[in-house]
Amino acid sequence: MSSKQFIFGVLILASVSALAVGAQQNSTLATPATKHSAAQKQAARRQDEGERVFQQNCSRCHTAPEGFSPRISGTIVRHMRVRASLSQHDEEELLHFFNP
Amino acid sequence: MTHGEVASAKFVCMLRMTLDFKPRASAYAIRFFLFALAALAIAHHGSAQDTPLISGGVGFFTTTNGGSTSYDPIVEPLLAAPIGQRVLIESRAYLLEYFTPKGGDQSGYNHLHYIGLSYLQGAYVASHHFTIVAGDYLIPFNTYNDRLSPIWIGNYQDGPLIANLSYSSSGSGLGGMLRGNAIQRSKYSIDYSYYYSTRSANEQFTASRGSGGRASLYLPEQRLEAGLSYDRLLQGTHENFYGAHAWWEPKDTAFRLRSEFARGQHAEGYWVEADYRTRAFGGLDSLIGRIEPVFRMQQTFRRDTIVSDGLPPMNTQRAEFGFDYNLPHNTRIITSYARQFSSTGNENVWETGIVYRFLFPAWKGKQQ
């Protein structure tokens, strides 16, 4: 496999990626039945500062575990504070997100 | 060397890429693991939400290469214990067995086992601008080593070919690190880390003298991150290593595009990885939404004939097609097919595995 072929492959990957994202966004827009509820969810999500912190920090590397004891939520937040350099505000919001 | 021994040697090489593997004696590893447990006990005075935790992954992997299938059960436990309001003690270990066919006319399997620590560190959070880390820590050179190497996070069983291309082939340093958020605004933030590692021949904490750092810019609206890394070996022949990474994870999608480039004294390479889950058929937790196709391309180039960095001895290209499935209860099936091209011969690598992630309090703790 030559370098040109590999670069060509990278371009294909980028194209497929862009199409995939476009398809994801279009599918969200093109579903009238779910449009209203999705908008509501989106609005609620935006109001939740803790979820924003989670999405912008924790989710960058890993998906959320399906559930964990509230007794370790502070420890998880401390871990993220070290790894992602969270501010005190973000730490509090994330803790609130884990324990609404 | 028999086929089995060759396979074992290749596997150990792979482990170094995947698990930050260091050849430490099991007894010593257990001793320090117990030390981490003791740290948990010290931390018992925390508040109701600060109970020390035990997390990690249990996996069973198979790899088929050239008609030979090996089996690899593995456990990667992680301990985290907060002390007071600003300190966190954290450690990760690995326990694994590796079974490979004896080869030739012999039936049965050879097997090897490893127990060791990936890291054992203490962190003091002075502020979000300034965190002090001391101990045996994962080197933040590029992103794979300190972010994606746990088996419950990575999309593939194997790390990228350039995963260990830094001043420390083990992926860890022994000394201190400063890290934090240099600038944080609503539209962007800049993170930094700087580390210095001392030389150590201690069997538990083998390390080379070196220093380096990473700086990255993150644009939260675009969910785009780009960063640069640099480190330098400060013993023997001083060598420089350069790295760059770019991540893009568009908002409100489950698409992720990650890439890295690394250049060392004797070799360089890059990888680009994309994975995607759709929300279009009932969300991420639907039958379809749990499917996660993954694709990774990587290429390495030798700059000279000195092979001291764990990269393949010849220029290599590798394309990997993965198909992961995210089962309920933190369980994940990881499969992939890779086609590798190099002047020493092309090969197919099939991998299948399952990983369960666990996360629970170290003990009952206080009730709120």
Side-chain angles (χ1 to χ4, degrees):
Chain A
M1 178 181 276
S2 68
S3 297
K4 285 184 179 178
Q5 287 174 311
F6 226 70
I7 292 169
F8 181 66
V10 171
L11 291 174
I12 288 178
L13 173 63
S15 304
V16 170
S17 303
L19 287 172
V21 174
Q24 173 80 32
Q25 291 169 343
N26 289 339
S27 66
T28 304
L29 294 171
T31 313
T34 60
K35 185 177 179 180
H36 188 60
S37 61
Q40 283 180 327
K41 286 179 183 176
Q42 183 71 5
R45 194 175 296 135
R46 284 176 179 166
Q47 290 173 359
D48 194 328
E49 182 74 354
E51 183 162 5
R52 178 194 65 78
V53 175
F54 184 85
Q55 296 286 346
Q56 292 184 0
N57 295 279
C58 316
S59 290
R60 278 158 72 181
C61 296
H62 59 81
T63 56
E66 274 192 20
F68 51 82
S69 167
R71 295 199 303 273
I72 57 173
S73 55
T75 307
I76 293 171
V77 170
R78 183 78 59 86
H79 164 82
M80 285 310 304
R81 193 175 180 194
V82 171
R83 286 300 181 101
S85 303
L86 298 182
S87 66
Q88 181 77 33
H89 169 76
D90 287 351
E91 182 180 11
E92 290 168 359
E93 293 299 330
L94 189 58
L95 193 58
H96 179 72
F97 175 64
F98 288 154
N99 298 286
Chain B
M1 231 179 183
T2 66
H3 176 77
E5 287 170 334
V6 170
S8 299
K10 287 179 71 175
F11 177 73
V12 169
C13 182
M14 183 187 76
L15 280 177
R16 288 176 182 275
M17 298 171 196
T18 310
L19 301 170
D20 320 312
F21 178 77
K22 288 177 278 188
R24 294 170 175 164
S26 301
Y28 286 112
I30 291 170
R31 184 184 303 172
F32 280 92
F33 201 69
L34 291 174
F35 173 78
L37 279 172
L40 288 178
I42 293 169
H44 192 185
H45 62 78
S47 69
Q49 296 172 329
D50 289 345
T51 303
L53 65 81
I54 295 176
S55 183
V58 180
F60 184 83
F61 299 136
T62 70
T63 303
T64 302
N65 187 349
S68 174
T69 301
S70 58
Y71 303 92
D72 173 23
I74 179 172
V75 182
E76 265 192 32
L78 182 149
L79 308 174
I83 299 176
Q85 297 299 309
R86 294 183 179 276
V87 176
L88 180 72
I89 306 295
E90 193 172 322
S91 180
R92 196 173 83 209
Y94 54 85
L95 305 87
L96 65 91
E97 293 277 341
Y98 177 62
F99 298 89
T100 180
K102 286 183 175 175
D105 296 331
Q106 294 180 299
S107 59
Y109 288 82
N110 293 317
H111 85 102
L112 304 167
H113 66 273
Y114 302 96
I115 300 175
L117 287 176
S118 296
Y119 65 90
L120 171 58
Q121 67 178 40
Y124 175 79
V125 182
S127 73
H128 72 287
H129 295 303
F130 198 68
T131 296
I132 303 167
V133 178
D136 186 25
Y137 53 84
L138 294 179
I139 292 172
F141 182 83
N142 276 336
T143 56
Y144 177 80
N145 190 44
D146 71 330
R147 294 187 187 178
L148 305 176
S149 57
I151 59 170
W152 62 95
I153 292 180
N155 288 328
Y156 291 93
Q157 290 181 36
D158 296 342
L161 296 170
I162 62 167
N164 280 14
L165 190 58
S166 76
Y167 90 91
S168 170
S169 60
S170 67
S172 67
L174 181 67
M177 173 166 56
L178 302 178
R179 63 190 307 169
N181 200 309
I183 302 172
Q184 186 168 24
R185 301 285 185 271
S186 60
K187 293 188 180 300
Y188 70 96
S189 64
I190 297 176
D191 284 354
Y192 74 93
S193 63
Y194 169 78
Y195 48 91
Y196 176 83
S197 172
T198 187
R199 183 176 191 172
S200 170
N202 183 288
E203 196 168 5
Q204 304 90 328
F205 300 111
T206 306
S208 303
R209 182 178 297 117
S211 70
R214 180 179 71 196
S216 57
L217 169 70
Y218 181 58
L219 306 176
E221 291 181 0
Q222 292 80 12
R223 300 288 167 88
L224 181 67
E225 178 184 343
L228 298 172
S229 301
Y230 167 78
D231 64 21
R232 179 172 172 82
L233 181 65
L234 298 174
Q235 67 181 56
T237 304
H238 293 196
E239 296 181 353
N240 296 309
F241 296 85
Y242 307 90
H245 72 271
W247 286 22
W248 182 46
E249 300 171 351
K251 194 176 180 182
D252 300 329
T253 70
F255 171 77
R256 296 182 294 195
L257 182 67
R258 295 162 170 163
S259 64
E260 280 186 1
F261 166 80
R263 179 185 176 92
Q265 201 80 11
H266 310 294
E268 61 188 12
Y270 71 87
W271 59 267
V272 181
E273 180 180 311
D275 68 274
Y276 176 69
R277 290 172 67 181
T278 180
R279 293 189 171 111
F281 301 96
L284 296 179
D285 292 331
S286 67
L287 199 66
I288 304 296
R290 291 180 183 278
I291 297 172
E292 186 173 7
V294 192
F295 180 69
R296 181 168 68 185
M297 292 174 71
Q298 45 186 331
Q299 197 166 13
T300 64
F301 307 92
R302 294 239 59 99
R303 299 180 63 199
D304 56 35
T305 55
I306 300 173
V307 183
S308 60
D309 43 33
L311 267 66
M314 307 298 288
N315 292 351
T316 300
Q317 297 93 41
R318 189 167 183 171
E320 295 165 279
F321 304 87
F323 189 84
D324 298 345
Y325 195 81
N326 297 275
L327 292 163
H329 307 297
N330 299 318
T331 305
R332 198 174 189 212
I333 295 172
I334 298 172
T335 64
S336 67
Y337 161 75
R339 179 70 174 165
Q340 180 166 302
F341 305 90
S342 78
S343 59
T344 55
N346 303 335
E347 60 182 35
N348 299 316
V349 181
W350 296 86
E351 296 181 328
T352 305
I354 185 166
V355 176
Y356 168 70
R357 180 187 181 179
F358 53 88
L359 176 61
F360 51 82
W363 46 72
K364 188 176 179 182
K366 299 173 186 175
Q367 295 296 323
Q368 277 187 298

